[in-house]
């Protein structure tokens, strides 16, 4: 059946609007009104056809918790922080409904919409993942403190629902945060074993949000691929050291008590969700590369090759932070990264970091590379914040890194089929 455009769309395109005029009207960054100005009613007709070549590498979108938190980390990340431009609560609710439907389609390997028979209209799906598998795509949504209140204003009638834990992180010593890499009203974390699949997901969700949201900042990320490391060892950061050795085990419910927000922790709408902290950390790679191996290992408190604590043989050997050598000196420096991040062992966070490499830093002519540190927890005030306070004051690693970006989001609880992400917040 031939698809008819709406009256507004017919009149718009009958004027033969140029591509340049469309961009002027729509606005770079997606503030425009040409596409999706009246919501997604006529634009989002989701396809049931599977991508050609699809395999079984899918992660269910629906469930009690959002995927992409305890999911085994995929090879690639595309992360976007968005600003909400609409002032209407109804627009925001409809956006989350449209995002839910689109995310469920994309994570199952389906396109966002069927190709329209009206070739004078843009395609509903951007098309770059045709013939590609879902590649274990997960899409995780979070809301920032500025979605609730901004400049003292209750933006969408949500002020009373803002959790006490969901507030901007405190200033840490040695931070050099940039507004262009910090904050955001909403975040979208897309992870997949194929970067094109991850980018496609964010691109199409941002497209759906056009006229209601704009991109505030975005970052790609990577780690060693599953193909390159069939043994699934702990990933290494760009300094060559293993990152995530002491992560909580998603298979242990006791460990997940550190991750999932429980009923009674705060507003009931967040039960089953988690707090996400994001830090964009630039690494001074060239300085590190001129540092002796001994100093590198003392900085982390671990052997580089094995990942074992200094003085031990294996990565997961029990840490003896008070062990001394034959001269009575501590084997693991008390200001090493491992000792300070570990603390007394009670504050645990689920780390899910990705490395980034964004070409050259124009200010220094060196690599613009580092770590997009992402972690999840039940209570930032009891977990991430005390850990980072210790690290910011005394960590030997501070000689080789600097924090450029920072954000906190409440990752919404999962959703059942027939519902929509964020339903508990807006209900």
């Amino acid at each position: 059946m031939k698809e008819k455009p709406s009256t507004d769309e017919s009149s718009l395109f009958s004027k033969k609007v140029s591509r340049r005029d469309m961009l002027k009207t729509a606005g770079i960054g997606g503030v425009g009104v040409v596409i999706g100005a009246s919501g997604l009613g006529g634009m989002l007709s989701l396809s049931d056809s599977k991508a050609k070549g699809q395999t079984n590498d899918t992660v269910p979108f629906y469930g009690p918790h959002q995927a992409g938190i305890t999911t085994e980390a995929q090879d690639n990340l595309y992360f976007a922080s968005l600003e909400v431009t609409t002032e209407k609560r109804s627009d925001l609710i409809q956006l989350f409904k449209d995002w839910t439907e689109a995310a469920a389609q994309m994570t199952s390997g389906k396109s966002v919409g069927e190709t329209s028979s009206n070739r004078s209209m843009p395609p509903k799906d951007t098309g770059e993942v045709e013939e590609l598998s879902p590649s274990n795509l997960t899409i995780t949504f979070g809301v920032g403190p500025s979605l609730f209140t901004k400049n003292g204003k209750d933006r969408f009638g949500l002020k009373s629902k803002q959790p006490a834990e969901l507030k901007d992180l405190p200033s840490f010593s040695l931070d050099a945060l940039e507004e262009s890499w910090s904050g955001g009203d909403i975040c979208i974390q897309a992870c997949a074993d194929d970067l094109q699949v991850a980018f496609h997901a964010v691109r199409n969700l941002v497209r759906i949000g056009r006229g209601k949201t704009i991109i505030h900042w975005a970052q790609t990320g990577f780690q060693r691929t599953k193909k390159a490391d069939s043994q699934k060892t702990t990933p290494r950061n760009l300094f060559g050291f293993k990152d995530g050795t002491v992560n909580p085990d998603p298979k242990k419910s006791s460990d997940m008590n550190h991750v999932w927000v429980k009923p009674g922790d705060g507003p009931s709408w967040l039960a089953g969700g988690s707090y996400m902290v994001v830090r964009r950390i630039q690494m001074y790679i060239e300085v590190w590369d001129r540092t002796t191996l001994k100093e590198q290992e003392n900085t982390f408190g671990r052997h580089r090759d094995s990942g074992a604590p200094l003085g031990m043989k294996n990565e997961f050997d029990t840490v003896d932070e008070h062990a001394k050598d034959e001269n009575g000196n501590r084997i693991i420096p008390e200001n090493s990264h491992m000792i300070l991040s570990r603390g007394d062992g009670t504050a645990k966070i689920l780390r899910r970091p990705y490395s980034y490499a964004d070409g050259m830093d124009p200010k220094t002519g060196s690599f613009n590379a580092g770590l997009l540190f992402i972690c999840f927890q039940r209570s930032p005030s009891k977990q991430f914040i005390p850990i980072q306070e210790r690290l910011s004051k005394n960590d030997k690693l501070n000689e080789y890194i600097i924090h450029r970006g920072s954000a906190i989001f409440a990752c919404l609880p999962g959703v059942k089929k027939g519902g929509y992400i964020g339903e508990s917040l807006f209900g």
Side-chain angles (χ1 to χ4, degrees):
M1 183 175 179
K2 190 170 181 180
E3 182 177 313
K4 287 186 176 183
S6 67
T7 303
D8 290 343
E9 291 164 353
S10 298
S11 61
L12 174 64
F13 284 94
S14 65
K15 296 178 183 179
K16 297 183 180 179
V17 180
S18 73
R19 190 170 300 175
R20 177 175 295 179
D21 289 337
M22 285 180 66
L23 288 173
K24 287 180 180 178
T25 306
I28 301 303
V31 240
V33 294
V34 171
I35 301 173
S38 57
L40 276 245
M43 291 297 295
L44 188 62
S45 176
L46 298 178
S47 170
D48 288 330
S49 59
K50 292 187 177 182
K52 296 177 183 178
Q54 178 179 329
T55 61
N56 292 323
D57 51 352
T58 59
V59 179
F61 177 76
Y62 295 105
H65 308 293
Q66 285 198 76
I69 297 176
T70 60
T71 307
E72 180 183 350
Q74 300 94 320
D75 297 346
N76 300 282
L77 161 82
Y78 198 92
F79 190 96
S81 172
L82 310 179
E83 295 178 24
V84 176
T85 56
T86 182
E87 296 182 356
K88 296 180 180 179
R89 179 186 172 105
S90 58
D91 281 352
L92 196 57
I93 292 173
Q94 186 59 51
L95 177 60
F96 275 101
K97 289 180 177 179
D98 294 334
W99 274 349
T100 299
E101 194 172 359
Q105 295 293 99
M106 289 189 287
T107 53
S108 62
K110 302 172 186 177
S111 60
V112 171
E114 295 177 353
T115 302
S116 172
S117 58
N118 184 352
R119 303 183 72 84
S120 296
M121 290 289 293
K124 295 169 186 174
D125 188 285
T126 52
E128 68 268 32
V129 297
E130 289 291 328
E131 293 89 39
L132 301 185
S133 81
S135 302
N136 291 308
L137 172 67
T138 58
I139 302 172
T140 312
F141 297 96
V143 293
S146 55
L147 186 72
F148 296 79
T149 56
K150 192 170 186 177
N151 298 323
K153 180 182 179 181
D154 182 358
R155 300 182 66 188
F156 300 100
L158 297 174
K159 184 177 180 179
S160 63
K161 293 189 174 183
Q162 183 173 354
E165 292 276 358
L166 186 60
K167 57 185 178 181
D168 290 335
L169 296 172
S171 298
F172 300 107
S173 60
L174 303 181
D175 275 0
L177 302 182
E178 300 172 6
E179 173 62 25
S180 56
W181 292 108
S182 299
D185 297 334
I186 298 173
C187 74
I188 302 173
Q189 173 193 267
C191 299
D193 290 330
D194 184 274
L195 182 54
Q196 189 149 309
V197 170
F199 173 74
H200 169 268
V202 175
R203 176 185 181 184
N204 281 271
L205 292 171
V206 168
R207 187 185 193 193
I208 289 169
R210 193 165 289 156
K212 302 173 185 176
T213 62
I214 57 173
I215 295 176
H216 177 48
W217 59 271
Q219 180 66 64
T220 57
F222 62 90
Q223 58 165 294
R224 86 289 187 265
T225 65
K226 295 171 183 175
K227 182 178 180 180
D229 182 14
S230 60
Q231 300 300 313
K232 297 182 179 179
T233 59
T234 304
R236 294 178 183 271
N237 56 41
L238 296 184
F239 284 162
F241 282 75
K242 292 177 179 289
D243 198 331
T245 298
V246 296
N247 255 353
D249 185 351
K251 297 178 182 178
K252 295 181 180 179
S253 58
S254 58
D255 279 9
M256 290 301 96
N257 285 333
H258 297 283
V259 177
W260 302 123
V261 175
K262 303 293 183 182
D265 285 349
S268 59
W269 66 264
L270 190 53
S274 186
Y275 291 99
M276 170 200 282
V277 170
V278 185
R279 303 280 286 182
R280 190 177 190 268
I281 305 171
Q282 184 176 359
M283 292 178 166
Y284 297 133
I285 290 179
E286 288 82 357
V287 178
W288 181 261
D289 290 346
R290 295 192 295 269
T291 303
T292 66
L293 179 58
K294 181 178 180 180
E295 181 62 16
Q296 289 182 1
E297 292 184 333
N298 282 338
T299 297
F300 274 98
R302 291 183 176 273
H303 295 291
R304 192 181 79 164
D305 291 348
S306 65
L310 293 181
M312 308 301 286
K313 293 183 178 180
N314 303 305
E315 178 183 356
F316 299 101
D317 285 346
T318 301
V319 176
D320 182 359
E321 60 182 275
H322 300 294
K324 297 182 178 180
D325 60 22
E326 62 276 8
N327 297 319
N329 299 315
R330 288 180 59 126
I331 294 176
I332 308 177
E334 58 184 344
N335 61 347
S336 65
H337 184 72
M338 181 188 67
I339 293 299
L340 290 173
S341 59
R342 182 172 180 267
D344 63 6
T346 59
K348 296 180 180 179
I349 54 177
L350 179 63
R351 296 164 175 83
R352 214 170 185 275
Y354 284 84
S355 297
Y356 73 86
D358 289 349
M360 183 189 74
D361 184 339
K363 297 178 182 178
T364 63
S366 59
F367 285 112
N368 181 4
L371 189 74
L372 191 67
F373 178 86
I374 300 174
C375 69
F376 298 90
Q377 61 253 279
R378 180 177 173 180
S379 169
S381 66
K382 297 177 182 178
Q383 294 170 265
F384 174 80
I385 291 175
I387 291 173
Q388 185 56 33
E389 284 177 340
R390 292 194 301 270
L391 292 173
S392 65
K393 293 175 182 177
N394 300 307
D395 190 5
K396 283 176 64 64
L397 192 59
N398 291 335
E399 298 177 35
Y400 307 98
I401 64 172
I402 191 163
H403 292 242
R404 297 291 191 189
S406 179
I408 184 171
F409 300 96
C411 287
L412 300 155
V415 59
K416 297 179 180 179
K417 288 185 179 181
Y420 66 94
I421 198 76
E423 188 171 8
S424 60
L425 172 60
F426 293 104

